[in-house]
């Protein structure tokens, strides 16, 4: 590793790298700038992202395009009710030639993993996946194997009202740094999608624009973005605000506050800033907090968080 | 021209139940003070009940918007309260004890139905403080301090409940600093206690004149109401005596309230005969009269009369049936079956005056200034029919020569002589309420003049009366109460036990009996004067109990001891100033102070907002505010200021003063 690589990444350079990834992903994904940026934020923040929407809205395409753009290995786990934990982590099989057990790594051993329709897997398989997400390592047959960095999981999930789903428990939802909804495309976007697919699938021509080292540097730069005391105050009051809402059954965890700060740090890099603004926190509060809140009745967590963010005073500008 | 906006900044809705409880408690403390010291019960009780309901109503409705109708109703109720106040105070329609306090209580009760925001709660607390002030006018004891402390606790409690809760902050203080403050305060208090002269027996300390002193004081005469005089059962009062060998107890309890147009001496019994240390009266006749005595039954107005003024006396404790009032009296009414007038112009009621009883007196205000009195030549003084007022038989030869020495060179007019002797007594003798016993066989006047040289009003007045007589000037001893604590705002005096007083009445042939007061600390010419409401002295008296110390004349007799309190005060000030300077310097060195540009930049940011005509809402971030701003010449500056503010507040990089100045220049 040369001396220049050890130096910290300039915020401007980080913004430029991120711009390149974004641009590349948009070769495949039409529109959805916000969701794309959220997904990249999750990657830079070193977390994992949950995409929720109906089938066929481009969740898988986004995951694949992102994986290709950063040039890492990409594996996909199609979750079904009969998926076993060993199908995710891999298992040892007996090698007749050497008369020994040989470990065949599962799809989890990759830089970018797409866990498609994660809520169709049984809770047992889900927890195997989520353990790997939380610890960055898997334990198979008594041997602990570390996963290569960067390790980034994009899980997609169908809305829970669908048949044959096992909703993720709250503790496991809590492990995703943020969650986003793809949303239906506009008419113009739909026409653009059709136009691009006329001569085949554009993803086959997609190539990497940054390498894994750049991603690690971006993750490093993210940690060096300053979150001022005022920002911390703001996040804490936000969590307290959520706790005080009468329609919240399960309040926001401490981990969600940590994730909110980290995601805001990553988001600041997009604009070449080395400090977090309350605007970043406001923008990310919904994606980071909403999916892990358990609401009473039919109340919508996302709407509640938006209303809270709109009414909660930001900390005073004067620090002394 | 921009429209002038006269709107208060928004005050947050008060959601803290504890805070509201403190507001109500503060009001209750103030009302308790009114009940204890004003002896008023009906309106305070009703006020507390109504306020309790009002608090519940306004707490439940705090989230609701104010209705036009409700506001109008409240305003009309406030005006109704004002109308009551005018009716009760100016027109005296209801005979209220404390109309101003009742008005304030009504105000709190009415507004308690509308306690929505923090500011409303504070208003309620401040009105409670005003009520407390009204009670303070009547209070003269340490327990009142407890009430003030309780009110302060309520204020602090509300502050904690309202502000700290909202800020999400917790009270914390460095224990070492806290301990230092507590111990330091204790030490200062202890030093003051040790160093400031205390009332001990024979201590020459008039500083205690106005301080409660009943702890170390024991009198032989247990007649608290008229402490100086021994009363007999004689209806004329003629067998009552003053014995200089004994003295009464002079506590701090109020004896009566006097609503009066002018502060005056409230004269009671008069004595003309002195023998063996005892004052008695020589004339025993009295007249039976109706309870209302019109002017025609009384002596005509003095020739130099300036006008009349009314006094209404409210008795607070059982008093002997002596009508104390300003002299000379024009007319008089007391709600009793009959009145008696003795030969000295003093009136008596047949029974004791009971607490709650009132009587009213109209008095003349003779023009008794120094210039007026100087017109009488000394030779005229003795032209008096009754030689009893010139009887100085009890006075020793030594005292007679002392009187001659005192007035030496000031014999041009009667007035000069009287004032020379009065000033001589005031400057050469000390005033003290702590007096030992007269030794057996010693004349009390000689004992005072030549042995101890310390005395209180009786000694001074007796000595002056007899010495004036020895100079050929007719004089007699008057007793009663001095003015008491006069409040020019309320036109009211509170007269206490220790205001019991004795002074001298001197005969001036063309002016009648003129009061003269030889006690140090009192005005030598004790004639009534209208109060100067607007002079500095009057304003100083608006603050209750400011005059804890003694008058200057009395301090003069203290000598060097008087320096001690001043020195202690200066030392305390110096220590505080030193500590303050030290912390300032340390802070400056530590560099924890905010950079100067931070404040300048944020002030500039506020200015830009004012210029744009819309303030940043609390939940709005600077960027959101920027995107909501209307385009215009200010927008360019706002963009740069917003960037600088963001950079400063969230990255800790405040800009250079030059940058801020440049932006400010661009703005203007």
């Amino acid at each position: 590793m040369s001396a220049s690589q050890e130096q910290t990444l300039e915020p401007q350079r980080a913004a430029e790298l991120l711009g390149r990834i974004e641009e590349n992903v948009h070769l495949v994904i039409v529109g959805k700038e916000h969701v794309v940026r959220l997904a990249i934020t999750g990657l830079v923040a070193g977390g994992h992202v949950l995409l929720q929407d109906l089938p066929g809205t481009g969740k898988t395409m986004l995951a694949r395009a992102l994986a290709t753009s950063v040039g890492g290995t990409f594996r996909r786990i199609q979750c079904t009710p009969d998926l076993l934990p060993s199908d995710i982590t891999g298992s040892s099989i007996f090698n007749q030639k050497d008369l020994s057990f040989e470990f065949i790594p599962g799809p989890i051993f990759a830089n970018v993993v797409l866990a498609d329709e994660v809520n169709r897997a049984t809770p047992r398989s889900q927890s195997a996946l989520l353990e790997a997400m939380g610890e960055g390592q898997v334990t198979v047959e008594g041997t602990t194997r570390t996963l290569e960095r960067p390790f980034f999981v994009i899980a997609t999930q169908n809305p829970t009202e669908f048949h044959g789903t096992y909703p993720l428990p709250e503790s496991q939802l809590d492990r995703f740094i943020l969650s986003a909804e793809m949303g239906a495309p506009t008419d113009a976007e739909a026409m653009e999608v059709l136009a691009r697919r006329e001569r085949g699938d554009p993803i086959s021509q997609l190539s990497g624009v940054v390498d894994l080292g750049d991603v690690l540097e971006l993750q490093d730069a993210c940690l060096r973005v300053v979150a001022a005391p005022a920002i911390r105050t703001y996040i804490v009051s936000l969590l307290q605000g959520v706790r005080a809402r009468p329609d919240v059954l399960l309040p926001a965890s401490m981990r969600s506050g940590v994730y909110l700060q980290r995601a805001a740090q990553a988001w600041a890099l997009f604009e070449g800033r080395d400090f977090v603004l309350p605007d970043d926190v406001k923008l990310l509060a919904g994606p980071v907090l909403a999916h892990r809140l358990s609401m009473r009745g039919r109340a919508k967590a996302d709407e509640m968080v938006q209303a809270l963010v709109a009414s909660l005073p930001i900390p005073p500008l004067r620090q002394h | 021209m921009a429209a002038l906006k006269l709107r208060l900044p928004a005050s947050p809705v008060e959601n803290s139940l504890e805070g509201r409880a403190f507001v109500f408690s503060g009001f209750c403390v103030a009302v308790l003070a009114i009940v204890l010291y004003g002896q008023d019960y009906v309106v305070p009780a009703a006020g507390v009940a109504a306020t309790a309901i009002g608090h519940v109503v306004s707490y439940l409705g705090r989230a609701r918007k104010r209705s036009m109708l409700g506001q109008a109703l409240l305003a009309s109720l406030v005006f109704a309260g004002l109308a009551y106040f005018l009716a009760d105070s100016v027109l005296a329609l209801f005979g209220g004890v404390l109309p101003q306090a009742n008005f304030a209580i009504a105000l709190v009760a009415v507004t308690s139905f509308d306690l929505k925001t923090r500011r409303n709660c504070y208003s309620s607390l401040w009105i409670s403080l005003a009520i407390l002030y009204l009670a303070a006018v009547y209070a003269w004891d340490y327990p009142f301090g407890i009430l003030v402390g309780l009110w302060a606790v309520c204020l602090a409690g509300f502050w904690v409940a309202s502000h700290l809760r909202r800020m999400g902050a917790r009270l914390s203080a460095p224990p070492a600093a806290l301990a230092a403050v507590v111990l330091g305060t204790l030490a200062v208090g202890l030093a003051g206690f040790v160093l400031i002269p205390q009332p001990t027996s024979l201590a020459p300390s008039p500083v205690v004149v106005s301080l409660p002193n009943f702890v170390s004081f024991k009198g032989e005469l247990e007649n608290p109401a008229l402490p100086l005089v021994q009363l007999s059962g004689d209806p004329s009062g003629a067998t009552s005596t003053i014995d200089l060998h004994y003295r009464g107890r002079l506590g701090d309890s109020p004896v009566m309230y006097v609503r009066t147009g002018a502060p005056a001496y409230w004269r009671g019994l008069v004595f003309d005969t002195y023998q063996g240390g005892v004052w008695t009266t020589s004339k025993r006749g009295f007249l039976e009269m109706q309870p209302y005595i019109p002017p025609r039954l009384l002596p005509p107005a003095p020739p130099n009369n300036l006008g009349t003024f009314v006094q209404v006396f409210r008795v607070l404790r059982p008093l002997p049936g002596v009508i104390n009032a300003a002299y000379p009296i024009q007319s008089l009414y007391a709600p009793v079956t009959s009145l008696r007038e003795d030969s000295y112009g003093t009136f008596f009621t047949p029974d004791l005056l009971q607490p709650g009883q009132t009587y009213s007196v109209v008095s003349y205000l003779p023009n008794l200034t120094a210039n007026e009195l100087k017109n009488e030549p000394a030779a005229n003084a003795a032209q008096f029919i009754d030689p009893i007022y010139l009887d100085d038989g009890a006075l020793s030869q030594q005292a007679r020569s002392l009187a001659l020495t005192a007035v030496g060179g000031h014999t041009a007019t009667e007035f000069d002589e009287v004032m020379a002797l009065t000033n001589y007594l005031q400057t050469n003798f000390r005033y003290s309420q702590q007096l030992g016993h007269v030794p057996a066989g010693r004349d009390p006047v000689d004992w005072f003049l030549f042995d101890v040289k310390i005395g209180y009003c009786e000694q001074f007045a007796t000595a002056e009366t007899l010495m004036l007589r020895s100079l050929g000037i007719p004089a007699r001893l008057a007793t009663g109460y001095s003015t008491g604590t006069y409040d020019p705002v309320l036109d009211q005096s509170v007269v206490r036990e220790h205001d019991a007083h004795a002074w001298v009445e001197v005969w001036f042939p063309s002016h009648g009996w003129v009061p003269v007061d030889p006690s140090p600390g009192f005005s030598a010419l004790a004639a009534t004067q209208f109060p100067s409401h607007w002079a500095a002295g009057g304003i100083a008296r608006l603050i209750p109990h400011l005059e804890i110390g003694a008058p200057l004349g009395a301090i003069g007799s203290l000598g060097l001891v008087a320096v001690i309190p001043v020195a202690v005060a200066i030392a305390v000030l110096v220590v505080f100033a030193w500590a303050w300077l030290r912390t300032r310097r340390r802070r400056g060195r530590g560099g924890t102070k905010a950079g100067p540009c931070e404040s300048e930049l944020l002030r500039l940011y506020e200015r830009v907002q004012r210029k744009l005509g819309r303030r940043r809402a609390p939940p709005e971030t600077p960027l959101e505010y920027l995107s909501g701003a209307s385009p215009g010449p200010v927008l360019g500056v706002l963009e740069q200021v917003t960037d600088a503010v963001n950079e400063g507040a969230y990255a800790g990089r405040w800009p250079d003063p030059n940058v801020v100045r440049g932006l400010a220049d661009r703005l203007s």
Side-chain angles (χ1 to χ4, degrees):
Chain A
M1 203 176 261
S2 69
S4 68
Q5 277 173 314
E6 280 179 350
Q7 277 179 352
T8 58
L9 200 58
E10 291 289 317
Q12 269 68 31
R13 163 103 177 113
E16 194 253 325
L17 285 177
L18 290 168
R20 255 197 271 162
I21 301 175
E22 233 179 337
E23 210 174 296
N24 203 46
V25 171
H26 279 303
L27 292 178
V28 179
I29 304 287
V30 180
K32 312 279 177 243
E33 289 82 3
H34 189 61
V35 182
V36 170
R37 201 171 256 217
L38 281 178
I40 301 173
T41 301
L43 169 67
V44 173
H48 309 283
V49 174
L50 180 66
L51 295 177
Q52 322 197 52
D53 220 318
L54 299 170
T57 42
K59 303 188 291 281
T60 314
M61 194 61 75
L62 171 59
R64 284 178 61 191
L66 193 52
T68 318
S69 301
V70 300
T73 51
F74 172 71
R75 299 292 290 275
R76 170 181 182 144
I77 305 166
Q78 189 62 47
C79 297
T80 55
D82 56 357
L83 183 78
L84 292 176
S86 58
D87 294 338
I88 296 171
T89 58
S91 54
S92 301
I93 55 166
F94 189 67
N95 189 327
Q96 298 276 353
K97 212 187 286 173
D98 300 354
L99 294 180
S100 66
F101 282 95
E102 186 186 348
F103 181 71
I104 308 292
I108 199 78
F109 288 89
N111 294 119
V112 178
V113 176
L114 171 63
D116 216 0
E117 303 192 312
V118 69
N119 56 344
R120 285 203 187 279
T122 55
R124 192 165 154 235
S125 306
Q126 284 172 1
S127 42
L129 174 67
L130 295 161
E131 187 228 336
M133 284 167 53
E135 315 288 326
Q137 61 186 31
V138 283
T139 307
V140 184
E141 289 154 12
T143 318
T144 301
R145 291 164 216 275
T146 314
L147 300 171
E148 195 193 338
R149 287 190 66 217
F151 173 62
F152 178 51
V153 176
I154 298 185
T156 71
Q157 144 171 309
N158 295 322
T160 44
E161 302 88 65
F162 273 51
H163 286 291
T165 55
Y166 302 91
L168 291 176
E170 284 81 7
S171 62
Q172 301 196 346
L173 280 174
D174 208 17
R175 289 175 196 275
F176 291 100
I177 188 166
L178 53 82
S179 134
E181 289 189 10
M182 296 296 287
T186 62
D187 287 355
E189 284 170 359
M191 281 165 72
E192 175 67 22
V193 170
L194 292 178
R196 286 193 195 177
R197 293 290 182 104
E198 194 184 0
R199 305 272 178 253
D201 199 343
I203 198 152
S204 49
Q205 282 110 48
L206 209 63
S207 59
V209 285
V210 296
D211 57 19
L212 288 179
D214 289 332
V215 173
L216 289 176
E217 271 187 56
L218 280 172
Q219 290 186 347
D220 233 31
C222 165
L223 298 183
R224 276 192 300 275
V225 171
V226 175
I231 297 294
R232 289 201 278 279
T233 312
Y234 187 45
I235 291 177
V236 169
S237 60
L238 207 60
L239 296 187
Q240 273 178 353
V242 169
R243 212 160 288 153
R245 297 294 282 231
D247 44 359
V248 173
L249 264 181
L250 186 73
S253 64
M254 193 58 240
R255 183 191 283 147
S256 61
V258 175
Y259 277 164
L260 184 51
Q261 172 173 299
R262 180 77 71 243
Q265 285 173 304
W267 191 271
L269 281 182
F270 275 100
E271 291 170 18
R273 260 188 284 115
D274 62 347
F275 58 93
V276 178
L277 284 184
D279 303 85
D280 305 335
V281 178
K282 274 191 166 187
L283 204 116
L284 289 162
V288 172
L289 297 181
H291 68 279
R292 59 191 95 221
L293 299 179
S294 178
M295 305 294 287
R296 212 180 284 279
R298 301 189 71 82
K300 285 270 171 45
D302 194 39
E303 285 164 17
M304 188 275 292
V305 172
Q306 292 310 331
L308 180 64
V309 158
S311 65
L312 188 73
I314 66 166
L317 299 172
R318 189 181 294 273
Q319 298 301 305
H320 302 284
Chain B
M1 211 179 105
L4 189 65
K5 274 187 192 164
L6 284 175
R7 221 173 31 184
L8 288 169
S11 181
V13 174
E14 187 52 66
N15 282 318
S16 158
L17 192 60
E18 295 90 333
R20 285 165 183 270
F22 276 118
V23 172
F24 182 65
S25 313
F27 172 63
C28 288
V29 168
V31 168
L32 184 66
I34 289 291
V35 167
L36 289 180
Y37 294 100
Q39 279 143 5
D40 194 5
Y41 306 102
V42 180
V43 175
V48 167
T51 307
I53 299 169
H55 269 272
V56 172
V57 168
S58 58
Y59 179 72
L60 294 179
R62 67 191 186 283
R64 244 169 274 140
K65 225 172 125 58
R66 284 178 168 130
S67 71
M68 204 66 190
L69 196 69
Q71 295 295 297
L73 184 65
L74 280 178
S76 55
L77 280 175
V78 167
F79 279 110
L82 192 62
Y84 151 77
F85 172 58
L86 292 177
D88 202 5
S89 59
V90 180
L91 308 174
L93 286 186
F94 301 96
V97 186
L98 284 165
Q100 43 305 73
N102 287 348
F103 173 51
I105 289 171
L107 211 56
V108 170
V110 169
T111 52
S112 72
F113 284 87
D114 190 39
L115 292 182
K116 187 178 161 86
T117 62
R118 177 194 287 167
R119 186 185 301 135
N120 301 149
C121 293
Y122 271 126
S123 307
S124 192
L125 273 171
W126 299 140
I127 304 178
S128 303
L129 182 62
I131 297 173
L132 208 56
Y133 167 74
L134 291 171
V137 172
Y138 301 95
W140 188 264
D141 50 9
Y142 285 147
F144 184 75
I146 299 175
L147 290 176
V148 174
L150 280 178
W151 183 87
V153 165
C154 289
L155 178 68
F158 175 70
W159 185 82
V160 169
S162 180
H163 292 251
L164 289 191
R165 158 100 32 108
R166 206 177 295 275
M167 293 189 303
R170 225 164 287 123
L171 268 185
S172 69
L178 208 63
V181 166
V182 169
L183 291 179
T185 315
L186 271 177
V188 168
L190 199 65
F193 184 77
V194 171
L195 293 177
I196 294 177
Q198 296 294 309
T200 52
S201 70
L202 290 174
S205 54
V207 178
V208 302
V209 166
S210 305
L211 285 174
N213 56 7
F214 37 69
V215 179
S216 66
F217 190 86
K218 287 194 172 55
E220 288 89 355
L221 298 186
E222 281 303 319
N223 178 19
L226 205 59
L228 302 178
V229 183
Q230 266 189 317
L231 288 163
S232 66
D234 183 352
S236 72
T239 53
S240 302
T241 56
I242 286 185
D243 191 335
L244 290 190
H245 296 94
Y246 303 112
R247 53 169 315 185
R249 188 165 62 90
L250 297 173
D252 290 313
S253 336
V255 174
M256 57 190 179
Y257 296 155
V258 188
R259 184 71 61 85
T260 173
Y265 278 25
W266 317 119
R267 199 195 78 156
L269 297 174
V270 172
F271 298 87
D272 58 7
T273 310
Y274 177 80
Q275 200 62 55
V278 182
W279 280 99
T280 50
T281 48
S282 60
K283 302 184 184 60
R284 305 201 160 208
F286 61 88
L287 283 169
E288 284 277 357
M289 298 178 107
Q290 292 300 308
Y292 174 62
I293 302 174
R296 65 185 162 81
L297 296 181
L298 289 170
N304 45 3
N305 187 33
L306 292 177
T308 56
F309 65 103
V310 183
Q311 311 126 60
V312 179
F313 295 80
R314 188 154 77 88
V315 177
L316 294 177
R317 51 191 308 163
L319 281 182
V322 178
I323 299 280
N324 291 288
Y327 185 83
I329 293 172
Q330 185 220 28
S331 61
L332 161 69
Y333 172 72
V336 290
T337 48
S338 65
L339 284 173
R340 297 189 184 95
E341 184 190 11
D342 72 2
S343 319
Y344 305 93
T346 304
F347 291 89
F348 297 84
T349 58
D351 302 306
L352 284 184
L353 289 167
Q354 293 301 332
Q357 211 165 355
T358 60
Y359 59 91
S360 49
V361 177
V362 183
S363 299
Y364 292 113
L365 190 74
N367 183 14
L368 296 178
T369 56
N371 284 338
E372 179 78 23
L373 292 172
K374 269 187 181 161
N375 296 335
E376 297 217 22
N380 285 359
Q383 299 175 357
F384 196 78
I385 36 168
D386 197 341
I388 190 96
Y389 293 118
L390 286 165
D391 174 19
D392 59 346
L395 201 62
S396 67
Q397 201 52 49
Q398 205 183 358
R400 283 169 210 271
S401 53
L402 183 72
L404 283 173
T405 327
V407 298
H410 299 93
T411 48
T413 66
E414 182 188 355
F415 180 75
D416 285 342
E417 270 185 287
V418 172
M419 283 300 125
L421 183 59
T422 308
N423 291 336
Y424 181 81
L425 286 174
Q426 286 191 341
T427 45
N428 293 315
F429 294 85
R430 284 188 196 152
Y431 184 91
S432 173
Q433 293 188 337
Q434 274 69 40
L435 204 59
H437 286 279
V438 184
R442 182 75 166 138
D443 179 61
V445 175
D446 282 349
W447 181 68
F448 163 65
L449 287 178
F450 305 112
D451 295 359
V452 288
K453 303 198 174 190
I454 296 172
Y456 47 95
C457 52
E458 284 178 28
Q459 276 75 26
F460 282 94
T462 304
E464 164 124 345
T465 309
L466 296 180
M467 286 159 95
L468 282 176
R469 286 179 181 185
S470 75
L471 297 170
I473 299 171
R476 61 188 190 184
L477 184 84
T479 63
Y481 289 93
S482 61
T483 305
T485 318
Y486 179 69
D487 186 322
V489 174
L490 298 172
D491 272 345
Q492 180 153 304
S493 260
V494 183
V495 179
R496 296 163 196 282
E497 274 181 19
H498 64 214
D499 289 322
H501 198 42
W503 61 95
V504 184
E505 282 188 342
V506 183
W507 179 256
F508 284 76
S510 55
H511 291 88
W513 290 105
V514 173
V516 170
D517 196 336
S519 297
F522 291 90
S523 168
L525 189 56
T528 309
Q529 274 159 359
F530 274 120
S532 115
H533 281 264
W534 304 111
I539 289 167
R541 295 169 84 163
L542 295 185
I543 305 163
H545 308 172
L546 190 69
E547 56 245 285
I548 288 174
L552 275 181
I555 284 180
S557 68
L558 243 187
L560 269 181
V561 188
V563 179
I564 294 177
V566 182
V568 169
I570 291 176
V572 168
L573 278 180
V574 166
V575 167
F576 273 115
W578 174 77
W580 182 69
L581 278 176
R582 228 179 100 98
T583 45
R584 247 180 78 103
R585 215 180 304 143
R586 192 178 292 167
R587 238 185 241 157
R589 238 183 286 146
T592 52
K593 252 179 80 183
C597 310
E598 172 180 353
S599 310
E600 281 168 24
L601 180 66
L602 290 176
R603 266 203 300 277
L604 178 67
Y605 190 41
E606 302 268 313
R607 257 181 68 200
V608 176
Q609 291 176 32
R610 270 202 300 278
K611 209 148 201 178
L612 282 166
R614 189 179 75 88
R615 315 259 317 180
R616 185 177 64 85
E620 229 176 353
T621 66
L623 281 179
E624 283 169 345
Y625 177 74
L626 172 67
S627 63
S630 50
V634 190
L635 198 61
V637 184
L638 179 63
E639 262 172 35
Q640 294 192 4
V641 173
T642 303
D643 282 350
V645 164
N646 272 339
E647 185 106 5
Y650 300 113
R653 292 189 293 262
W654 295 99
D656 263 8
N658 293 334
V659 177
V660 178
R661 230 167 286 139
L663 285 170
D665 288 346
R666 274 190 60 192
L667 183 67
S668 47

